[in-house]
Amino acid sequence: MTRQLFTKIALALIALLLPAMVSASGHDNGGDAKEGVDAQGIIFEHLGDGYGWEVPFNHHKRIPLPVIVWAGDGLHIFSSSRVAHGQVWRDGDTEFKIAGKDSPYKGKVVEIVDGKEIKPALDISVTKNVCGVFISVLVCIWCILSVARWHRREGMKAPRKMTGAIESLILFVYDGVIKPTLKTKAPKFAPYLLTVFFFILVMNLLGLIVIFPGGANLTGNVAVTLVLAVLTFFVTNIFASRHYWKEIFNPDVPWWLKYPLPIMPLIEVFGIFTKPAALTVRLFANMMGGHMIVIVLTLLIFIFAAMGPAVSGATAVVSVIFSVFMLLIDVLVSFIQAYVFTMLSTIFIALGQEEGHEGGHAAEHPVPSPAKN
């Protein structure tokens, strides 16, 4: 059954992409054959941010988003369609445009003063990634509240369909990662950790959808993964125990590793910042790599389109099959990366909750009180 489904999806994608391939082949054989395909530009356009949302199969049109900038004469709010395709938009006495490829502000909205491009003092525009974050937040809230509404109506009765799948994920993460690691303190940190898990999972899955409201490469944006890692950093260190900080600045190691040069304390302090850095790079690199591989495999169709029908047809079949395979792998990777980020965050928080061997031993084996006469 799975093999038949995979075959149908592959054939459907081939049917969709072959007309585009033939069109590209005929176009390349014309006067623009020398130009070829700007693979690098297409890759970074899909993976990067923007002031509009691309329309599938038509990159000349975009869903406009609001541009909000603070220029020299005050606040300006207008649609990104006003500055699309290199257009200049005059808002009052100020002109704006999106900087071109040769500008140091490439792809950003700039203010034009005396023929020169000047970066606005503040740019808080709702870009594609910002809009994608809002959509991911709404989807995440809907998923969690659907489980809450079910149990409010049905009590402890097991939910079904999508609600049951979401509850299964909650129990899988809580009973498999959070509770065994944090033990009695699991209820305190579970809301944050479960929120992070579902937020990353939703962003990963929406990023695999090529049409609105998907297509934003959120977890492939280092700024997004950095913010998530910084949140784990603050939760770990703000709620850390005294023993945790004692082990940072005065670790239980031979004295010559602490005096006269504080070698171990410096290593421990350095380790505080390497943990969120590892969380940032791990999630960013894995998701960026997956998106890039799928785009490159798809671009092979258009790169080989000028080499004749036989070569372009064979390339289309192979590229589509491998693209579908990589998309299926990316679905699995989306779950794995959300799970790994949550698991590492749980471990880092648990390390900050350690009370020391003496405190733990005393809690496990309390000293009996003396018998009264």
Side-chain angles (χ1 to χ4, degrees):
M1 186 68 181
T2 304
R3 183 178 299 177
Q4 293 177 354
L5 179 61
F6 178 81
T7 303
K8 291 179 181 179
I9 294 174
L11 292 175
L13 288 175
I14 291 173
L16 288 172
L17 292 174
L18 275 177
M21 178 203 69
V22 173
S23 176
S25 177
H27 179 75
D28 288 342
N29 289 334
D32 296 334
K34 295 181 180 179
E35 295 182 5
V37 177
D38 183 13
Q40 181 179 355
I42 294 174
I43 291 173
F44 283 101
E45 179 183 358
H46 281 273
L47 297 180
D49 200 0
Y51 292 95
W53 212 297
E54 297 89 351
V55 176
F57 309 111
N58 190 345
H59 292 283
H60 297 289
K61 295 183 179 180
R62 292 195 173 196
I63 301 173
L65 296 172
V67 177
I68 307 172
V69 294
W70 184 277
D73 58 345
L75 184 66
H76 296 266
I77 303 176
F78 53 90
S79 172
S80 62
S81 61
R82 304 291 187 182
V83 290
H85 309 296
Q87 299 176 2
V88 177
W89 168 251
R90 176 179 289 275
D91 188 14
D93 296 330
T94 310
E95 293 184 339
F96 297 95
K97 65 176 292 188
I98 296 180
K101 296 180 179 180
D102 299 330
S103 172
Y105 310 115
K106 175 183 175 182
K108 300 294 183 181
V109 170
V110 293
E111 178 185 0
I112 302 176
V113 179
D114 298 330
K116 296 182 180 180
E117 297 179 353
I118 299 177
K119 186 177 181 181
L122 181 64
D123 186 351
I124 54 174
S125 304
V126 180
T127 62
K128 181 174 71 173
N129 283 351
V130 174
C131 185
V133 169
F134 290 154
I135 293 173
S136 299
V137 169
L138 293 177
V139 173
C140 188
I141 292 174
W142 174 80
C143 290
I144 303 304
L145 290 184
S146 64
V147 179
R149 286 195 300 269
W150 171 272
H151 287 290
R152 191 180 299 114
R153 295 194 310 264
E154 306 293 339
M156 297 304 296
K157 184 179 178 180
R160 298 178 181 274
K161 299 181 180 180
M162 179 62 75
T163 305
I166 296 172
E167 185 180 59
S168 298
L169 282 177
I170 294 174
L171 294 176
F172 176 76
V173 176
Y174 183 79
D175 294 338
V177 177
I178 300 175
K179 189 175 181 180
T181 306
L182 290 170
K183 297 180 175 59
T184 58
K185 296 186 178 181
K188 179 179 180 181
F189 298 101
Y192 165 73
L193 294 169
L194 288 172
T195 301
V196 167
F197 172 79
F198 278 98
F199 187 48
I200 295 176
L201 180 61
V202 169
M203 288 193 295
N204 289 346
L205 294 178
L206 285 178
L208 300 179
I209 303 174
V210 297
I211 60 176
F212 183 85
N217 184 31
L218 297 177
T219 47
N221 186 325
V222 70
V224 175
T225 59
L226 177 61
V227 169
L228 294 173
V230 169
L231 290 176
T232 297
F233 170 81
F234 283 132
V235 172
T236 301
N237 293 282
I238 290 176
F239 297 98
S241 63
R242 293 182 179 180
H243 177 77
Y244 170 81
W245 290 111
K246 182 262 179 188
E247 289 296 320
I248 295 293
F249 295 105
N250 187 25
D252 188 13
V253 295
W255 66 268
W256 48 271
L257 291 175
K258 297 184 289 184
Y259 310 104
L261 295 177
I263 298 175
M264 286 304 299
L266 287 177
I267 293 175
E268 294 291 342
V269 171
F270 183 72
I272 295 177
F273 299 97
T274 56
K275 293 172 184 175
L279 288 175
T280 301
V281 175
R282 180 187 295 273
L283 181 59
F284 160 73
N286 281 281
M287 298 311 301
M288 172 68 81
H291 288 292
M292 188 172 293
I293 290 174
V294 173
I295 295 174
V296 170
L297 289 173
T298 305
L299 283 176
L300 290 178
I301 300 172
F302 305 97
I303 292 174
F304 287 98
M307 300 181 67
V311 176
S312 60
T315 304
V317 173
V318 174
S319 297
V320 169
I321 291 175
F322 274 100
S323 296
V324 173
F325 175 75
M326 285 305 304
L327 281 172
L328 295 177
I329 294 296
D330 274 346
V331 173
L332 179 62
V333 170
S334 298
F335 172 80
I336 292 175
Q337 291 304 316
Y339 180 81
V340 169
F341 191 100
T342 306
M343 180 182 66
L344 292 177
S345 297
T346 305
I347 293 173
F348 295 156
I349 293 173
L351 291 175
Q353 300 301 308
E354 290 288 338
E355 297 293 344
H357 298 294
E358 294 180 0
H361 182 76
E364 295 177 1
H365 305 282
V367 179
S369 58
K372 296 182 180 180
N373 293 330

